[in-house]
Amino acid sequence: MTDSAGERARLRRYPELPVWVVEEHQEVLPFIYRAIGSKHLPDSNISFVHFDSHPDLLIPVNMPADTVFDKETLFGELSIENWIMPAVYAGHFSHVIWLHPTWAQQIREGKHHFLVGKDTSTTTIRVTSTDHYFLSDGLYVTEDQLENQKPVQLDVIMVKPYTLGNSQEEGDAVSSAKKPKLAREDAGHMASANCGSHSEGSEKDTAAQRRLQTDLEPSCSYSPESQECPAVVGTGDIPDILKKGDAFVLDIDLDFFSVKNPFKEMFTQEEYKILQELYQFKKPGTNLTEEDLVDCVDTRIHQLEDLEATFADLCDGDDEETVQKWASNPGMDALVPLVQSLKKRMDVPDYEMVHQAGLTCDYSELPHHVSTEQEIECLIQSVCYLLKNLPKPTLVTIARSSLDEYCPPEQVDTIQEKVLDVLRSLYGTLDLHLVYSAESSPS
């Protein structure tokens, strides 16, 4: 028996599947760490299955790498976009699977293998990935500049909503070879929209299954003629990978099903266009040398530092002289009409928020797709069938993301109940913790 297999055999098991529901996504990390501490999860080699409209794979830019070894300090440093990679550097996650809807394409599809480590020059966490997602945030360094290196595999996989009344050729979706091989089951037991049953489930769970079936069947019915599972993904490797792993955490952001870009409602179309111009990241060419990539990142870091300094100065005073001073810098002339427009609409513009919005305008916009009820139901069904073909997770974490309106507040409760119904139908009675609510279940 290998050390890894021995550790897996020694892990404790929860009597019921724990499900932690939080508001802001980084708030799930303490519950994952708690499971590591209680020996329900191993200390390392954890696979992390992440359904989300956003990767959440950035890194706190100025946080010392060693902060990850002081978990209470770490939790205070994290935010919604940068909470996963510190857990990779800490050695807990070795494999991240980002499953995203069709409207979210921030990272190139496919497998990514790279290193996460401590930058010897800044003592911060950095990566060797050359994907634009990391380059645009100034997070790339060369391998020889990293110490305490941790290899990570990142799989980026698109999940398509099951098409209404689906009977089209499978070529309209993805090829049979790319579907999870466990999905190519006998159509006889896959042909209903009931996403699974659990003989040990309570009466409530049975009712949840019936409700799920009722919700999904009219608009997203499965056609036995297609002989295919509605969970349409871009790879057949997920079930095999997770069977080989020590353990896996299932993580779901409810904005996977319906998402807003809240900044688009904070600014006018013209203001948002100016932000895109000011903060744009010019994608580098292909086949660049390490030196070219380092130069690209250095240029980007200086651009972001100048923009941060500009808006920090405007927080102290946005008189015409100050605005003109910053606008005289190369590429900054659009600052003048931006400030003029903001001051027309509000007495005291929140320039810190303007900068935060600008940071999301690099090489692509934040995803924005408010789903219809049918679209939500079809994505629910796709996720359901995909999970049915995976091993049971050790625990589930769910982020609502509604207070900051990434998940539309008017839809979040409905989506949450549908997701919980799926989990009950697959895994039976849940140990549910509504952390975001004053009526949270006891831990």
Side-chain angles (χ1 to χ4, degrees):
M1 180 182 288
T2 65
D3 291 344
S4 175
E7 183 180 10
R8 185 161 61 246
R10 291 191 296 270
L11 290 176
R12 299 171 63 194
R13 293 181 179 273
Y14 292 111
E16 296 174 348
L17 180 66
V19 178
W20 300 91
V21 187
V22 303
E23 182 55 50
E24 295 189 349
H25 211 154
Q26 78 276 9
E27 295 170 349
V28 305
L29 198 58
F31 302 110
I32 296 171
Y33 273 50
R34 183 185 297 183
I36 294 171
S38 64
K39 306 298 183 185
H40 289 91
L41 283 172
D43 187 59
S44 61
N45 200 30
I46 300 170
S47 293
F48 189 70
V49 178
H50 178 57
F51 287 88
D52 201 324
S53 279
H54 310 90
D56 298 350
L57 292 172
L58 296 177
I59 297 166
V61 175
N62 298 314
M63 184 185 80
D66 289 349
T67 305
V68 304
F69 305 116
D70 178 356
K71 64 181 181 181
E72 295 308 321
T73 303
L74 172 67
F75 297 155
E77 292 284 334
L78 303 178
S79 55
I80 57 174
E81 76 282 0
N82 61 23
W83 58 278
I84 297 174
M85 279 302 187
V88 173
Y89 177 69
H92 302 311
F93 299 158
S94 60
H95 184 201
V96 177
I97 303 173
W98 178 40
L99 292 136
H100 62 93
T102 56
W103 54 76
Q105 300 181 29
Q106 297 94 312
I107 301 179
R108 177 177 50 81
E109 294 290 300
K111 292 183 184 299
H112 303 247
H113 294 271
F114 55 94
L115 299 173
V116 181
K118 181 197 284 191
D119 182 347
T120 54
S121 65
T122 64
T123 73
T124 56
I125 301 172
R126 291 295 183 264
V127 302
T128 58
S129 172
T130 59
D131 191 90
H132 294 148
Y133 179 80
F134 298 107
L135 292 177
S136 68
D137 226 52
L139 299 176
Y140 165 83
V141 297
T142 57
E143 182 177 339
D144 60 7
Q145 201 170 325
L146 285 183
E147 61 182 16
N148 195 23
Q149 299 173 354
K150 301 292 168 58
V152 62
Q153 176 177 329
L154 167 64
D155 285 299
V156 179
I157 301 168
M158 182 185 295
V159 180
K160 297 180 182 178
Y162 183 51
T163 308
L164 302 181
N166 186 20
S167 60
Q168 75 264 43
E169 295 296 319
E170 64 187 54
D172 289 348
V174 294
S175 70
S176 174
K178 287 188 174 183
K179 291 179 184 288
K181 64 183 180 184
L182 292 182
R184 299 194 287 273
E185 301 270 351
D186 173 67
H189 72 276
M190 299 286 277
S192 82
N194 180 9
C195 195
S197 58
H198 197 292
S199 59
E200 298 172 11
S202 66
E203 187 174 323
K204 180 178 179 182
D205 299 324
T206 304
Q209 294 166 24
R210 286 196 299 267
R211 182 160 69 252
L212 181 67
Q213 186 168 7
T214 301
D215 283 347
L216 296 181
E217 277 185 329
S219 57
C220 304
S221 59
Y222 170 62
S223 167
E225 297 172 7
S226 70
Q227 301 289 303
E228 288 291 346
C229 163
V232 183
V233 300
T235 181
D237 297 336
I238 305 175
D240 289 341
I241 290 168
L242 292 178
K243 283 180 181 177
K244 293 173 187 173
D246 277 337
F248 99 87
V249 175
L250 172 61
D251 176 75
I252 303 172
D253 194 317
L254 299 184
D255 73 16
F256 172 88
F257 302 94
S258 184
V259 67
K260 292 169 69 175
N261 177 352
F263 296 116
K264 282 199 164 183
E265 296 183 354
M266 293 182 191
F267 302 100
T268 66
Q269 190 171 351
E270 186 59 31
E271 289 166 355
Y272 196 77
K273 185 177 178 182
I274 293 174
L275 284 175
Q276 290 176 312
E277 180 183 333
L278 290 173
Y279 284 82
Q280 68 173 320
F281 171 67
K282 294 179 180 177
K283 294 181 181 180
T286 55
N287 302 319
L288 296 183
T289 65
E290 283 190 349
E291 185 177 353
D292 292 334
L293 289 167
V294 169
D295 288 345
C296 169
V297 167
D298 285 345
T299 299
R300 179 61 172 171
I301 289 172
H302 289 133
Q303 177 190 6
L304 295 177
E305 288 176 345
D306 289 346
L307 286 161
E308 182 178 17
T310 298
F311 287 103
D313 198 17
L314 292 177
C315 286
D316 295 333
D318 59 359
D319 56 273
E320 186 175 350
E321 182 181 350
T322 303
V323 175
Q324 290 290 349
K325 177 187 73 175
W326 288 105
S328 64
N329 291 331
M332 291 287 286
D333 40 332
L335 183 67
V336 174
L338 174 63
V339 172
Q340 289 174 344
S341 177
L342 291 170
K343 291 175 76 170
K344 282 180 185 175
R345 294 196 302 111
M346 52 192 82
D347 294 335
V348 182
D350 184 347
Y351 290 111
E352 185 176 349
M353 183 61 73
V354 174
H355 178 57
Q356 292 303 315
L359 291 174
T360 71
C361 301
D362 36 38
Y363 62 94
S364 66
E365 290 186 24
L366 285 177
H368 184 90
H369 181 96
V370 179
S371 300
T372 65
E373 186 175 344
Q374 283 189 337
E375 287 175 316
I376 291 170
E377 289 176 349
C378 291
L379 269 177
I380 286 280
Q381 185 173 358
S382 288
V383 169
C384 179
Y385 271 93
L386 178 56
L387 294 181
K388 186 174 183 178
N389 293 306
L390 299 183
K392 182 178 180 179
T394 301
L395 75 158
V396 180
T397 53
I398 297 175
R400 286 166 59 85
S401 300
S402 62
L403 294 184
D404 51 16
E405 298 195 7
Y406 282 101
C407 184
E410 66 276 9
Q411 294 180 324
V412 67
D413 290 332
T414 299
I415 295 173
Q416 178 175 312
E417 196 51 45
K418 287 178 181 292
V419 170
L420 293 176
D421 281 351
V422 166
L423 297 178
R424 291 188 184 105
S425 76
L426 293 173
Y427 310 123
T429 305
L430 307 175
D431 180 19
L432 182 61
H433 303 261
L434 303 179
V435 181
Y436 68 93
S437 169
E439 299 172 3
S440 174
S441 304
S443 16

